[in-house]
Amino acid sequence: MLTCAVLILLISSQSNGVKVDVKVVDSHSQIGQGQSGLYRPGANKLTASRDPGPLCAHSDLAQIVGKCYDIEVSEYKYAVCPFHNITQHEVALKWNAYHGILGIWSHWSYDNLYSKFAHGHYTDGDTCTKNDKTILRTALLHHTCGKRTRVVSVGEPDTCAYNITLESPLFCHSVFSDVYNALPETERKQFAMSTLEFKHNVLTDEGLKVERRKILDRIGCLNMKKEFKDLEECEREYNDLIKEHKDLDEKCSSEADENKYDELQNKYDELKRVVAESGLVFPDDL
């Protein structure tokens, strides 16, 4: 998926489950182009463009951090290093075999009410070409219950976007999937209070989401980038936002309109702030 430059609120064979006590990617730089050459385990050093994001999960999941789990599919070997990175190595005897990074650990996505962890997102992989455009590889990691920790499948449903499934006994227990259990003690009280208020109809669905997003934001576990399927989808949403903003500006006459306008203005200001922090130029400033 492409992250819009204008709007940022913006792998079948059986796995052998090999554990490696060192990460495949062990340093970082600004290269991000992958490497070519015959695959030699331990010899094809890769560099990443950034450090991985925070774990943001139950502390017991840290026991698989720093380990890597391999699977070979066709002519490729994939190494999944949970909460660090995912890499791909072409094992075919070719002079220009590809070895590169599919993604670096970024963040979790959550269920509808931010109660449970859903999928792990790995972003900022090596560059690749899709529809004559240069994009960065990404991977979505699915976690399922299993008798041992291993990679069970890898697929590429869209160009340079990978779906990978990792199973482990760690994922068999709800204690590891519930957001509450991953929170520091200082935030659990507020999380529990939001749950109670929701059950007693003090908070609506949207109100519950807002409260929980605040909690996740405070501990640095809320992804602030909005991702789109393509640039066209991003542009459509941006244009819709601008149109709604202008319409409200013209007919802001009632208190409800004013509240809506203030809400939209806050979104607009936040959009400009995030774009500026990303080193981009906001359209209105051109």
Side-chain angles (χ1 to χ4, degrees):
M1 300 172 73
L2 291 173
T3 301
C4 175
V6 177
L7 182 59
I8 309 179
L9 285 178
L10 356 125
I11 141 166
S12 160
S13 67
Q14 183 177 3
S15 167
N16 56 16
V18 174
K19 296 183 180 181
V20 184
D21 289 331
V22 295
K23 300 180 292 298
V24 173
V25 180
D26 52 10
S27 61
H28 53 247
S29 73
Q30 299 298 322
I31 300 175
Q33 300 294 326
Q35 297 181 3
S36 295
L38 184 65
Y39 175 60
R40 293 174 295 164
N44 300 89
K45 296 294 183 179
L46 300 172
T47 55
S49 60
R50 62 170 176 81
D51 289 326
L55 177 62
C56 289
H58 194 284
S59 59
D60 282 0
L61 288 182
Q63 64 189 278
I64 61 175
V65 175
K67 298 179 180 179
C68 300
Y69 304 89
D70 300 345
I71 187 173
E72 284 195 27
V73 176
S74 186
E75 296 181 341
Y76 293 95
K77 182 175 183 177
Y78 297 80
V80 175
C81 308
F83 309 110
H84 274 281
N85 51 70
I86 299 175
T87 58
Q88 181 187 50
H89 306 269
E90 192 170 7
V91 296
L93 297 177
K94 298 166 58 177
W95 70 269
N96 63 340
Y98 172 77
H99 316 291
I101 303 169
L102 302 187
I104 307 164
W105 168 248
S106 176
H107 64 278
W108 289 99
S109 56
Y110 304 88
D111 67 357
N112 189 45
L113 294 178
Y114 296 88
S115 298
K116 293 183 178 295
F117 297 106
H119 312 297
H121 294 256
Y122 292 71
T123 63
D124 300 316
D126 291 337
T127 57
C128 72
T129 302
K130 178 182 178 181
N131 298 329
D132 297 323
K133 297 179 180 179
T134 299
I135 63 173
L136 298 178
R137 289 175 167 83
T138 62
L140 187 65
L141 190 64
H142 305 265
H143 307 82
T144 62
C145 174
K147 294 182 178 180
R148 60 192 178 96
T149 304
R150 65 181 188 132
V151 183
V152 294
S153 66
V154 177
E156 188 179 358
D158 195 11
T159 304
C160 303
Y162 304 82
N163 274 347
I164 303 176
T165 299
L166 179 74
E167 69 174 23
S168 173
L170 290 173
F171 306 135
C172 297
H173 309 287
S174 62
V175 67
F176 297 114
S177 62
D178 291 344
V179 170
Y180 176 85
N181 296 311
L183 297 174
E185 290 293 337
T186 54
E187 298 293 350
R188 289 188 178 186
K189 182 178 180 180
Q190 188 62 40
F191 191 93
M193 180 62 70
S194 69
T195 302
L196 185 63
E197 292 179 343
F198 176 69
K199 289 182 176 180
H200 288 82
N201 299 316
V202 176
L203 286 177
T204 62
D205 287 13
E206 190 57 38
L208 181 64
K209 294 176 186 177
V210 169
E211 291 302 314
R212 290 182 171 176
R213 283 198 295 265
K214 289 179 180 177
I215 294 171
L216 291 167
D217 188 33
R218 283 198 295 269
I219 63 176
C221 295
L222 186 64
N223 178 49
M224 296 303 293
K225 289 185 177 181
K226 181 164 184 179
E227 296 180 337
F228 300 87
K229 291 188 302 182
D230 49 41
L231 184 60
E232 288 72 22
E233 181 187 38
C234 171
E235 291 176 339
R236 283 196 303 271
E237 183 160 334
Y238 173 75
N239 290 330
D240 289 344
L241 178 62
I242 294 301
K243 183 178 184 301
E244 186 178 359
H245 185 279
K246 290 181 177 179
D247 288 346
L248 282 171
D249 195 14
E250 293 172 357
K251 65 177 186 179
C252 183
S253 57
S254 68
E255 182 178 351
D257 286 334
E258 291 177 356
N259 292 337
K260 182 64 176 178
Y261 179 84
D262 290 341
E263 178 185 352
L264 194 58
Q265 183 67 52
N266 289 335
K267 290 182 180 179
Y268 188 77
D269 293 340
E270 176 66 9
L271 168 62
K272 294 191 69 174
R273 181 186 67 79
V274 175
V275 168
E277 290 178 354
S278 301
L280 304 172
V281 178
F282 201 75
D284 291 356
D285 298 331
L286 292 175

